[in-house]
Amino acid sequence: MEVINFDDNPTCTHNHKPLDSVYEPAKTVLIHAPEEVNLLDKLDGYYRFVKSTVLNYQNAATGLFPTKTVGKCDHAKVRDCLYCAAGIWAVALAYRRIDDDKGRTHELEYSAIKCMRGILYCYMRQANKVESFKKHPSPSNCLHSVFNVHTGDELLPYDNYGHLQIDAVSLFLLYLVEMISSGLQIIYNTDEVSFIQNLVFCVERSYRRPDFGMWERGSKYNNGSTELHSSSVGMAKSALEAINGFNLFGNQGCSWSVIFVDFDAHNRNRQTLCSLLPRESRSHNTDAALLPCISYPAFAVEDDALFEQTMEKVVRKLRGTYGMKRFLRDGYRTRLEDHSRRYYKPAEIKLFDGIECEFPLFYIYLIIDGVFRDNTEQVNEYMHLLEPLLHHSYDGFAKVPKYYYVPADFIESEKESPGSQKRFPNTSAQEGNLFLWGQALYIIAKLLVDELISPKELDPCKRYIPPKEQRNISMRYSNQGLSENDVVVHVSLIAESQRLQVFLNTFGIQTQTPQQVEPIQIWPQQELVKAYLYLGVNKKLNLSGRPNRPIGCIGTSKLYRILGKTIVCYPIVFDLSDFYMAQDVMLLIDDIKNLLLFIKQYWKMNRRPLFLVLIREDNIKGSRLNPILDMLAAFKNGMVGGVKVHVDRLQTLISGAIVEQLDFLRISEEEEIPQFQGLEELEFPKHSKVKRRSSIASIPNVVEHLDIDPAMWMFRSTADILSKLSESNSLATQAVLLSILLKSEGPNFITGEGLVIDRLEKVYQRSGSRKNWSNVRFTASLLGKQVDSLAPSITRALVQGKQVTIGVFGQEEEVISNPLSPTEIKNIVYTKCAKHDVRDAVLQQELVIHIGWLISNSPELFHGMLKFRIGWIIHAMEHALAARGGDLPADYLYQMSPSDVKKLLLDILQPDEKGRSWLNRRHLDGSLNRTPKGFYDRVWQILERTSEGITVTGKHLPQQPTLSDMTMYEMNFSLLVEDTLQDIIQPEYRQIIVELIMVVSVMLERNPELEFVAEVNLDNLVKDAFDEFKNDKVRLEHVEVESMQDFYQTPPTGKRGTASYLMKAVMNTLLEGDVKSSVDDPCVIS
C-alpha cells in the first residue's frame, strides 16, 4: 500500500474508523474559498494522522507517552515524550493559519501542554534529587529519565539503568522555551519557576559532567562507564542560550519569572563542544546522536566549517541503505546481542561490526535539516531514501519502523560483503506497535516539506538563523556572533584610595575612587555570588538556590540592579587572594590581557562589556610600578593585548552597559534584608604620600639561606626549636622550624608569638612581600593553600581530549581522566607531591592553571601531547634551566616568580631547535610525552600484524581484546597506548621507543607480506640496536661506549643515525624467523 499524500488526495481519510481516545469536535458545514478548502483538507489529513499515530497513545492522567504502544508497557521515557509533544505542537502551529479550526488548535496545543506539564510533574516530585545533584553530581543523584506512564512514579533503580542523560533534561528546557515563545502557557506559578531555575543550575556545568548519553549506555563498550558526550554538552549549550533571560510566563510575565544563566559557565560549554567535535566522546569517534545536537532542534554549532565537518563525518561513517547506524559496533537489537545481560563482555562489540541496526529516524532529521537550511537537494534525497522504508496502516497512514536488522541467517554473508543482505524492520509499525519518537518527527518533517509550517514557526526562539539574516540579529543573547568579533571593551580605572589617585595623576593616569562613583557601588565578585545564592530558593521544594560558584569575567562585565541599587563588579583576578600567585604583578598584567581577550572572543550581547580595573597601592610598590604604568598607558592609548578598549568615567560608561535586574532578591517583610559589603575607599591622613619603593622591593627575587641543618633539627627538643625560632631573623629558618613544630605538635600548638598555624601565615605573607618565592611556596604548601580555578583548568585539558597526571617525576602518579571537584584535586596534589618536596604541591597547581589557560587559547602549543604529566613537565623545565648553563642552584625553579615560571613553560612548549643537541631534544620531547603525527595509528597497524601484542618496560599491549574493543581513530585507544608507555622512567628512552615504533610501522607497511609471530619486545629491539651502535663505535672510531647517552645524542636520520640501527635490529628479528609469511607471499611455491 502506498503512503497517502495529503496534497493529492485530501478526502481519502473521510471513511476511516472513528478515533475514540481523543475528543474530536463536531464538523460544521461552511462555504470556503477554494484555496482555504484545500488547506483545510490538508490539515484535516494531518489531524487524523497525528491522532491515529501519536495522540491515541497519550495517557489521559499524566499526559505521558509509552515507549511501546502494544501490550502492557508502563514505561515512559522523557526524550520520547518530548518529541511526541513537539509533533502535536507542530500540527497546532499549522492550524493557526486558518480562522475556523473547529477547536483543533486548542485541543492540540493543550495536548502538548499536558505532556510538558506531565514531565514537569514527574521532575518536581524528584526535587530532592535536583538539590543533591547540585552538590554531588553523580549518576546516583540525578533525575530519573524513565517514569511510570500511568502515575508518574520513578522507575528502574540507578544500578539497573543509566538515568544520567543531560541531553534529555536540556531538551526539556529547550522545548519549554520554544513552546512558550509560540504563545503556550506551560509554567503556572513561582514554585515551578524556581524548579526550572534549579534545573538550569544542574545543566550549567554539563561541560564537566560525564553522562550515559542519548543511547543510555555511556561508553561504546556498554560496561556501565559514563563519558563526556558532545551531544549532551551541545544540547545543554543550546538550552542555556535559549532560556537565558527568558520569561517563563511569556508575554504576561514579570521580572521574577525570568530565568538567569551563568554566561561564563555557558561559554565553557561552548568551548568544550568546539573542542570535542567532530568526535562524540572518547569511545565514539562519531555518533548519530550528534544530528539533533548540530541541527534541529538544538542548532548548537555556530561555526559553519565545524558543522560541515561533523555532519560529513556522521553521514560518511554511519549512513546505510535502511537508515543510519547509531554508532559503529553498536550491538543494540542485533541478533547477536545477549538480552539477558545488561553489560557486554570485553571484546564483545567486535561481534557487531558490520551488522549494526540501521534507523530510518536519522533520515528524518536530515530532511528537517535540509528544510531549515533551504537545501532542496538534501530534502529530496532523503525523502526518496525514506519512502521505501515506511510501513502503512490499514487506513493509509505512514508508520516509521524503529530500526532495520540483519536476520541471524544472513549475518555471516553480511559481514563478508557489507550491504549485500536484505534487512528487516522490527515490530514497530506492525500489529499496531508504533515508534512514537519517529512518528512525531516524521509529522514535523512532512509539515515542513508541505510548507504547512515554516522553520520560523517551529523555531520561534531563533535557534537557527539563516546566514543572510545573521547581520540583523537583535536578540539579547544570541549564539550567532559576528565572524570577526570586533568588540570594544569599556574600561573604568578605579584607584583604591585618593592618595593613589593623586599619585597616578602625576603620570597622566586619570582614575576614580569608590567614593567618586557614588551612588554606584563597586562590589567584589564574591558579593555578587552572595546575592545569587537567593536565586531559585524555594522552601516548599527544599531547594537551596544557586550553588556557591564564582562569577566569571562575562558576568562581571555587566551592570546590576539589586534592591534599588546600581552595582558594578570587578573581576575575580583583582580579589585579594590568599594564594601567592596574586602577589606577582607581571602575572596580574598577563591575566588582565587574557581576560580582555576572552571577553572580546565570547561577548555575544548587543551592548558593550564594562571592565573594571582595580588598582591597589600594593600593585605599585617597588619594581611593580613601571609595568603597571606601562599597562595603564596602553589602556589610555586604546589598545591592550590586541583588544580595543575605551577608558572613561564610570558614570559615562554605564549608559552603554548590559543591565541585569536581580529582582529575585525582593525580600518579604518577615525576612531580614541581606547585607552586602562593597569596595571601601582606603582612608589615610591628609598629605600622606604613596611609598613608591622600599629597600627590599627593588631586588628581583630574594633568596634567604638557612642558618640551620633541617635534618639535624628534626630531632631537637621542642624547647630548643622554640628558642631558635625566637632568635632567628631568617624567614627561611623560621619556616623550617615551624614546619617541624607543625608535624610534631600540630597546628594549634602555642609558641611565644601565637599559634604555629598563625605564625606560618605571617611568614608566608612576609615572604611574599619580599619575593622570596621558594619560601612562599614552602609555607603555602604547609598551609595547604589551593589556587582558585584549579578544577576548571583541569577540565579545560580533559575536554580537549587530554589526560592530566599529578605526581613527582619518577614517583607514583595519579591519572585524572574525568572532571573532579576542587577538594578531590587538592587531596591528590597534596597526597602525591608534598611527601617528596613540599613545594611541589603548590608548584604543580601553578602549572595546572597555566596549562588550562594556554590549551584554551593556544591549543597548537600542545600538538602531539595526549597526556600532561605535571611532574614530568617540571622535570623538563629543570632540564631546560640546566641546559642554559650558569651556576644555578638545583632548586632554582622554586625560586622563580610565578610569571617567570609561566615564561619558562612557554619556552619548553615552543623551543628554539637551533643549536640544541639531539639529547636535549629527546629529553624535552620525552618529558612532554610528545609524539609525531599519526603515531597512535602506527601502533594500531603494528598490532594488526602482531598476534602476541607489544611489550615495553614489562607492560603488555595485547592484540586482543584491543582490536575487538576499539577502533583505530578512537581516543580511548590512544590513551591506552599512553598508558602502556607510562612506566618508562627516562624521557630520552621514551623518545627512542617512539622512534622505534615509527620504524617498525614503516617496515611493515613496506613489506605487507610480513607479520610478527611472537610478542614484539621493544626493549629488546632497542638493546639490539644499541649493541650494534657500540660495536660500530669500537670498530670505526675505536671508542668505548659505556652508556646510552651517545646513542641519545645521535641524530635519527643520516648515515649511522639511530633510525638505521633500529631498522637493522628489527630486520635481524625478522630474519631470525620471528615472523611468518602471509599466504600471498610471492616467494612461496604452492
Side-chain angles (χ1 to χ4, degrees):
M1 183 184 296
E2 296 183 356
V3 63
I4 290 181
N5 187 313
F6 299 125
D7 293 349
D8 301 333
N9 194 357
T11 60
C12 62
T13 61
H14 289 183
N15 294 324
H16 293 162
K17 294 182 180 180
L19 305 170
D20 53 7
S21 68
V22 177
Y23 171 70
E24 180 180 355
K27 298 178 181 178
T28 56
V29 179
L30 296 171
I31 300 175
H32 302 283
E35 296 83 0
E36 190 173 350
V37 171
N38 192 32
L39 178 59
L40 275 170
D41 287 337
K42 287 181 181 179
L43 293 178
D44 179 67
Y46 274 102
Y47 175 74
R48 294 177 178 276
F49 188 17
V50 75
K51 287 187 73 173
S52 174
T53 60
V54 180
L55 265 174
N56 263 355
Y57 304 99
Q58 185 174 27
N59 185 270
T62 63
L64 302 178
F65 292 84
T67 53
K68 296 180 180 178
T69 57
V70 294
K72 294 182 178 180
C73 176
D74 59 356
H75 289 194
K77 294 185 177 181
V78 169
R79 189 182 297 102
D80 296 49
C81 291
L82 286 169
Y83 281 110
C84 289
I88 298 165
W89 169 60
V91 180
L93 292 175
Y95 264 102
R96 288 183 180 181
R97 296 189 173 193
I98 60 175
D99 290 333
D100 185 9
D101 61 3
K102 305 176 185 177
R104 289 174 176 173
T105 304
H106 180 90
E107 177 194 357
L108 293 168
E109 287 181 349
Y110 277 86
S111 296
I113 290 171
K114 188 173 183 65
C115 179
M116 295 296 288
R117 288 194 57 79
I119 296 170
L120 180 63
Y121 167 73
C122 294
Y123 275 170
M124 290 185 71
R125 292 177 66 192
Q126 297 192 320
N128 62 314
K129 298 184 186 296
V130 173
E131 184 64 21
S132 298
F133 190 79
K134 287 190 301 181
K135 298 172 183 175
H136 306 289
S138 69
S140 59
N141 286 333
C142 68
L143 283 170
H144 276 234
S145 295
V146 182
F147 298 96
N148 187 297
V149 72
H150 307 294
T151 65
D153 295 338
E154 59 187 55
L155 293 178
L156 305 177
Y158 290 114
D159 54 358
N160 285 353
Y161 182 77
H163 285 285
L164 182 51
Q165 300 167 33
I166 292 173
D167 71 293
V169 180
S170 302
L171 186 66
F172 171 72
L173 295 175
L174 179 58
Y175 270 132
L176 189 69
V177 175
E178 294 279 22
M179 291 183 187
I180 294 174
S181 298
S182 74
L184 303 190
Q185 294 293 319
I186 300 175
I187 303 300
Y188 292 169
N189 57 38
T190 53
D191 295 327
E192 294 174 2
V193 173
S194 299
F195 182 80
I196 297 298
Q197 181 66 69
N198 278 270
L199 280 188
V200 169
F201 296 149
C202 294
V203 169
E204 279 178 341
R205 292 200 164 186
S206 299
Y207 64 91
R208 53 183 294 179
R209 301 277 184 261
D211 70 342
F212 290 102
M214 184 180 288
W215 310 132
E216 308 159 3
R217 292 185 171 188
S219 76
K220 180 174 72 175
Y221 317 122
N222 188 26
N223 56 11
S225 61
T226 56
E227 287 187 323
L228 199 64
H229 292 90
S230 295
S231 54
S232 294
V233 176
M235 196 65 76
K237 169 187 176 291
S238 296
L240 293 174
E241 282 177 342
I243 207 166
N244 191 20
F246 185 74
N247 199 312
L248 292 179
F249 289 175
N251 295 331
Q252 302 173 14
C254 56
S255 58
W256 45 264
S257 53
V258 171
I259 294 297
F260 292 82
V261 170
D262 180 352
F263 217 61
D264 292 277
H266 157 67
N267 270 309
R268 292 192 188 100
N269 283 308
R270 180 204 305 267
Q271 288 178 307
T272 301
L273 179 64
C274 293
S275 301
L276 289 172
L277 290 175
R279 286 185 295 115
E280 161 69 343
S281 68
R282 281 181 182 166
S283 66
H284 296 80
N285 187 253
T286 189
D287 196 301
L290 290 169
L291 289 179
C293 165
I294 65 173
S295 183
Y296 177 82
F299 297 105
V301 180
E302 304 102 56
D303 185 339
D304 289 340
L306 184 57
F307 167 81
E308 294 294 343
Q309 182 186 7
T310 306
M311 178 67 83
E312 185 274 335
K313 188 175 184 180
V314 170
V315 173
R316 173 168 48 87
K317 295 271 189 180
L318 304 178
R319 176 171 153 177
T321 306
Y322 296 86
M324 298 181 73
K325 302 175 177 68
R326 302 195 308 179
F327 53 88
L328 298 179
R329 297 187 174 179
D330 173 25
Y332 178 79
R333 293 297 182 260
T334 62
R335 289 307 177 257
L336 296 183
E337 186 180 47
D338 184 353
H339 302 299
S340 66
R341 288 184 285 112
R342 181 184 175 192
Y343 298 132
Y344 294 159
K345 297 176 182 178
E348 188 173 356
I349 63 172
K350 177 70 173 176
L351 298 173
F352 315 126
D353 196 6
I355 61 165
E356 303 93 338
C357 293
E358 295 179 358
F359 292 73
L361 170 73
F362 299 110
Y363 283 173
I364 302 175
Y365 276 110
L366 290 169
I367 293 169
I368 296 174
D369 177 76
V371 175
F372 268 89
R373 300 182 190 279
D374 198 22
N375 187 338
T376 307
E377 183 180 348
Q378 177 176 315
V379 173
N380 292 337
E381 176 185 3
Y382 286 100
M383 285 293 290
H384 177 73
L385 291 171
L386 180 65
E387 288 298 331
L389 307 177
L390 301 176
H391 285 252
H392 310 101
S393 63
Y394 66 90
D395 47 9
F397 293 124
K399 298 187 177 182
V400 182
K402 185 174 183 179
Y403 57 84
Y404 279 79
Y405 67 93
V406 179
D409 294 342
F410 297 178
I411 286 177
E412 291 303 320
S413 300
E414 177 68 15
K415 286 189 173 185
E416 290 176 6
S417 178
S420 62
Q421 303 301 304
K422 182 179 179 181
R423 291 171 181 254
F424 292 85
N426 73 314
T427 56
S428 293
Q430 297 175 12
E431 301 173 359
N433 189 16
L434 293 172
F435 176 41
L436 295 182
W437 178 356
Q439 288 301 130
L441 265 186
Y442 180 71
I443 290 169
I444 293 173
K446 286 290 289 179
L447 286 167
L448 287 167
V449 171
D450 291 346
E451 298 183 354
L452 293 175
I453 58 172
S454 68
K456 288 183 179 180
E457 290 172 306
L458 190 62
D459 179 28
C461 72
K462 300 182 181 177
R463 286 301 312 142
Y464 176 74
I465 301 174
K468 61 185 178 182
E469 297 179 19
Q470 288 180 12
R471 291 185 176 274
N472 300 319
I473 299 170
S474 60
M475 294 173 65
R476 184 179 174 205
Y477 301 106
S478 171
N479 67 326
Q480 304 282 352
L482 298 175
S483 56
E484 293 292 334
N485 201 355
D486 198 23
V487 170
V488 177
V489 180
H490 283 176
V491 175
S492 175
L493 304 178
I494 304 296
E496 72 171 349
S497 68
Q498 193 168 354
R499 75 176 188 178
L500 177 58
Q501 181 187 37
V502 172
F503 175 76
L504 291 173
N505 196 34
T506 62
F507 294 94
I509 306 298
Q510 302 295 321
T511 61
Q512 292 177 280
T513 65
Q515 289 182 2
Q516 291 169 350
V517 302
E518 291 178 351
I520 302 170
Q521 292 188 13
I522 300 174
W523 283 9
Q525 63 87 33
Q526 299 103 309
E527 293 299 301
L528 191 57
V529 170
K530 191 193 300 183
Y532 269 115
L533 291 177
Y534 293 86
L535 176 61
V537 173
N538 190 287
K539 294 181 180 179
K540 285 194 282 184
L541 295 172
N542 290 321
L543 295 173
S544 63
R546 185 182 188 271
N548 191 352
R549 300 169 181 167
I551 305 291
C553 61
I554 299 290
T556 56
S557 296
K558 294 186 279 191
L559 191 72
Y560 292 87
R561 293 284 297 169
I562 302 175
L563 297 175
K565 300 173 183 176
T566 301
I567 309 296
V568 291
C569 293
Y570 55 83
I572 193 173
V573 72
F574 297 109
D575 281 353
L576 289 172
S577 170
D578 67 345
F579 198 80
Y580 60 86
M581 290 174 70
Q583 297 173 336
D584 187 343
V585 73
M586 297 306 297
L587 204 58
L588 172 65
I589 292 171
D590 200 27
D591 286 343
I592 292 171
K593 292 178 180 178
N594 289 336
L595 287 180
L596 289 170
L597 186 62
F598 182 86
I599 292 170
K600 175 190 174 183
Q601 289 176 333
Y602 295 106
W603 185 264
K604 302 292 180 181
M605 290 165 266
N606 58 8
R607 289 191 166 219
R608 300 279 172 82
L610 177 58
F611 189 83
L612 261 61
V613 176
L614 178 59
I615 310 161
R616 301 184 187 273
E617 292 202 358
D618 189 59
N619 296 146
I620 65 168
K621 287 182 179 178
S623 58
R624 305 173 188 178
L625 174 62
N626 288 335
I628 287 290
L629 289 178
D630 291 341
M631 179 193 70
L632 295 176
F635 275 113
K636 188 176 178 181
N637 294 332
M639 184 68 71
V640 178
V643 179
K644 293 179 182 178
V645 297
H646 172 68
V647 180
D648 210 330
R649 297 172 68 250
L650 185 57
Q651 290 87 339
T652 304
L653 297 176
I654 60 173
S655 61
I658 281 281
V659 181
E660 286 278 21
Q661 301 275 356
L662 302 194
D663 290 340
F664 57 82
L665 270 168
R666 66 192 191 286
I667 305 296
S668 65
E669 294 180 1
E670 298 80 26
E671 294 181 281
E672 185 179 347
I673 297 177
Q675 298 299 311
F676 299 104
Q677 184 66 44
L679 177 67
E680 294 185 356
E681 185 171 323
L682 297 185
E683 299 288 346
F684 295 98
K686 289 186 177 181
H687 310 299
S688 64
K689 295 183 179 179
V690 176
K691 294 180 181 179
R692 292 179 54 180
R693 295 185 180 273
S694 61
S695 59
I696 197 75
S698 59
I699 303 174
N701 287 322
V702 174
V703 180
E704 291 184 347
H705 297 288
L706 289 168
D707 53 16
I708 61 169
D709 181 355
M712 295 289 293
W713 278 83
M714 287 289 292
F715 305 101
R716 299 289 287 270
S717 68
T718 300
D720 289 345
I721 294 173
L722 289 173
S723 176
K724 184 65 177 177
L725 186 61
S726 63
E727 67 183 41
S728 176
N729 293 321
S730 166
L731 290 176
T733 300
Q734 291 177 28
V736 170
L737 292 172
L738 286 168
S739 72
I740 296 172
L741 288 175
L742 181 68
K743 186 174 182 180
S744 62
E745 306 293 343
N748 297 320
F749 180 73
I750 300 176
T751 68
E753 299 180 25
L755 302 179
V756 168
I757 195 74
D758 295 336
R759 291 197 64 177
L760 267 176
E761 185 69 39
K762 290 177 182 177
V763 173
Y764 168 70
Q765 295 295 342
R766 289 173 63 193
S767 299
S769 63
R770 294 188 181 193
K771 296 186 179 179
N772 185 345
W773 296 112
S774 179
N775 212 43
V776 166
R777 291 185 173 98
F778 182 78
T779 51
S781 185
L782 290 175
L783 292 164
K785 299 288 185 183
Q786 180 179 352
V787 68
D788 295 324
S789 303
L790 187 60
S793 296
I794 286 183
T795 301
R796 290 189 193 110
L798 297 179
V799 300
Q800 293 276 357
K802 314 295 185 181
Q803 282 186 336
V804 178
T805 68
I806 301 294
V808 176
F809 176 79
Q811 303 296 330
E812 184 185 4
E813 298 170 274
E814 180 86 14
V815 179
I816 302 176
S817 54
N818 283 315
L820 300 176
S821 69
T823 302
E824 291 171 315
I825 298 171
K826 179 182 177 181
N827 290 337
I828 293 171
V829 168
Y830 279 95
T831 302
K832 298 297 179 185
C833 303
K835 60 186 177 183
H836 300 288
D837 187 326
V838 71
R839 297 170 294 184
D840 260 330
V842 289
L843 182 61
Q844 296 214 7
Q845 293 184 54
E846 280 183 59
L847 290 176
V848 166
I849 294 296
H850 297 326
I851 289 170
W853 181 263
L854 288 172
I855 198 171
S856 294
N857 296 276
S858 304
E860 68 280 357
L861 293 176
F862 302 92
H863 178 70
M865 295 171 61
L866 194 60
K867 184 176 286 188
F868 299 158
R869 302 172 75 178
I870 306 300
W872 282 55
I873 292 174
I874 289 176
H875 177 75
M877 296 167 76
E878 291 173 331
H879 183 82
L881 287 173
R884 292 178 181 179
D887 189 19
L888 296 177
D891 68 344
Y892 184 74
L893 179 62
Y894 300 98
Q895 299 174 17
M896 297 171 65
S897 69
S899 54
D900 287 337
V901 169
K902 184 177 182 180
K903 289 177 185 175
L904 180 58
L905 174 63
L906 281 168
D907 286 344
I908 68 166
L909 289 174
Q910 44 187 4
D912 183 4
E913 301 290 352
K914 293 180 181 178
R916 291 178 62 229
S917 68
W918 277 102
L919 173 62
N920 280 338
R921 290 191 192 185
R922 287 190 172 107
H923 190 99
L924 179 58
D925 286 340
S927 297
L928 297 177
N929 285 213
R930 190 166 263 158
T931 58
K933 186 176 181 181
F935 171 73
Y936 303 106
D937 300 348
R938 298 280 187 179
V939 179
W940 180 275
Q941 291 163 0
I942 295 173
L943 271 185
E944 287 182 318
R945 312 267 286 279
T946 312
S947 60
E948 298 301 317
I950 300 169
T951 297
V952 60
T953 58
K955 238 182 180 179
H956 184 225
L957 178 62
Q959 185 190 63
Q960 295 298 339
T962 305
L963 298 187
S964 297
D965 263 351
M966 300 179 179
T967 55
M968 180 190 293
Y969 305 109
E970 191 176 307
M971 183 64 67
N972 277 346
F973 173 70
S974 303
L975 293 172
L976 180 62
V977 174
E978 280 297 329
D979 185 60
T980 306
L981 303 177
Q982 178 89 10
D983 290 347
I984 300 176
I985 58 174
Q986 280 187 300
E988 307 95 320
Y989 186 73
R990 176 195 156 93
Q991 211 55 27
I992 288 293
I993 291 292
V994 169
E995 292 174 23
L996 172 61
I997 288 172
M998 299 299 287
V999 166
V1000 173
S1001 171
V1002 169
M1003 293 185 67
L1004 290 178
E1005 189 176 48
R1006 293 178 179 176
N1007 298 274
E1009 74 280 2
L1010 300 176
E1011 63 181 53
F1012 287 93
V1013 174
E1015 175 184 277
V1016 178
N1017 191 310
L1018 299 181
D1019 298 312
N1020 289 345
L1021 290 175
V1022 172
K1023 182 180 181 300
D1024 293 344
F1026 178 58
D1027 288 343
E1028 189 69 26
F1029 174 80
K1030 286 196 299 183
N1031 293 337
D1032 277 2
K1033 279 287 186 181
V1034 172
R1035 183 171 58 85
L1036 300 175
E1037 301 179 20
H1038 307 290
V1039 175
E1040 291 284 346
V1041 178
E1042 297 296 332
S1043 70
M1044 290 190 67
Q1045 295 300 305
D1046 287 345
F1047 192 63
Y1048 297 145
Q1049 189 71 277
T1050 305
T1053 56
K1055 188 176 181 180
R1056 295 169 58 201
T1058 55
S1060 64
Y1061 290 104
L1062 294 171
M1063 196 174 297
K1064 192 178 296 184
V1066 175
M1067 187 59 69
N1068 287 340
T1069 303
L1070 297 178
L1071 295 176
E1072 285 172 3
D1074 284 340
V1075 298
K1076 68 176 182 181
S1077 300
S1078 71
V1079 294
D1080 298 325
D1081 190 339
C1083 298
V1084 175
I1085 301 175
S1086 57

